[in-house]
Amino acid sequence: MNTKPEHTPPSSHLAVQMQQAALRAEGFQQVREAHKQELVEDYVELISDLLLEIGEARQVQIAERLGVAQPTVAKMLKRLEGMGYVVLRPYQGVLLSAEGETLAQTSRERHQLVESFLLALGVDEDSARRDAEGLEHHVSKATLAAFQRFLDSHSLPENQSGHST
């Protein structure tokens, strides 16, 4: 009879550690990609908001709302133009392409869904609005679908539910 305690063989333990490291690396990569997309989405959503609110979106207005310098905005607008999201019109401001408007609308809907979910959990309105701004870019479609199912299964005032993913 063997009375020695059984141990995980070193090679098996190493394999588990390597698998865990790979999963963490995948998570880090997902966050980095979300950060890149976050800036793009914030810009197109803001441009859409400005166009809806005041009929134009100029670099100076974008810079003021984002709290950044105009050269920063100019660089990002060039990037967005290259991605096909905006149309730059010298001395006239910025327009969104159809693709840019679709991205802005999707981002807006995702924000509304996340904010509604936070409100349903009892988070105060100001915190929910602010937190949704950060979270909206970092949740997967599966998580958004779960948020929607939660909202659909709970009785909420009309202004807090009914957002689609």
Side-chain angles (χ1 to χ4, degrees):
M1 176 188 255
N2 187 356
T3 59
K4 289 183 181 179
E6 290 189 28
H7 294 287
T8 305
S11 61
S12 180
H13 185 67
L14 182 60
V16 169
Q17 285 181 328
M18 290 177 65
Q19 183 180 21
Q20 290 172 341
L23 289 173
R24 289 191 70 197
E26 184 180 308
F28 291 143
Q29 178 64 29
Q30 181 180 345
V31 169
R32 284 192 301 276
E33 290 301 317
H35 281 306
K36 288 180 191 174
Q37 188 64 16
E38 180 176 2
L39 192 56
V40 169
E41 291 174 357
D42 284 346
Y43 266 82
V44 296
E45 191 175 356
L46 175 58
I47 292 165
S48 177
D49 290 346
L50 286 167
L51 291 169
L52 290 171
E53 291 170 20
I54 60 176
E56 65 179 4
R58 295 183 178 271
Q59 284 187 26
V60 65
Q61 296 158 327
I62 296 167
E64 285 173 0
R65 297 252 182 131
L66 292 176
V68 298
Q70 284 190 50
T72 301
V73 172
K75 182 178 178 183
M76 185 62 176
L77 290 176
K78 280 290 191 193
R79 182 174 159 210
L80 293 173
E81 182 181 42
M83 297 170 84
Y85 292 126
V86 301
V87 176
L88 299 179
R89 302 174 311 157
Y91 310 106
Q92 296 180 30
V94 183
L95 294 176
L96 289 176
S97 65
E99 188 177 348
E101 189 55 55
T102 298
L103 181 61
Q105 185 60 34
T106 300
S107 180
R108 190 176 291 114
E109 289 171 359
R110 194 170 54 244
H111 177 97
Q112 290 169 344
L113 175 59
V114 172
E115 186 173 341
S116 294
F117 177 73
L118 294 173
L119 289 168
L121 293 177
V123 176
D124 67 90
E125 287 185 27
D126 187 54
S127 295
R129 179 183 48 79
R130 290 172 188 266
D131 292 347
E133 184 56 46
L135 291 171
E136 71 182 87
H137 305 288
H138 297 274
V139 293
S140 67
K141 288 181 180 181
T143 300
L144 290 170
F147 287 0
Q148 187 64 59
R149 284 191 305 275
F150 176 87
L151 291 171
D152 291 344
S153 69
H154 290 76
S155 298
L156 298 171
E158 184 61 32
N159 67 343
Q160 292 183 5
S161 66
H163 301 294
S164 62
T165 54

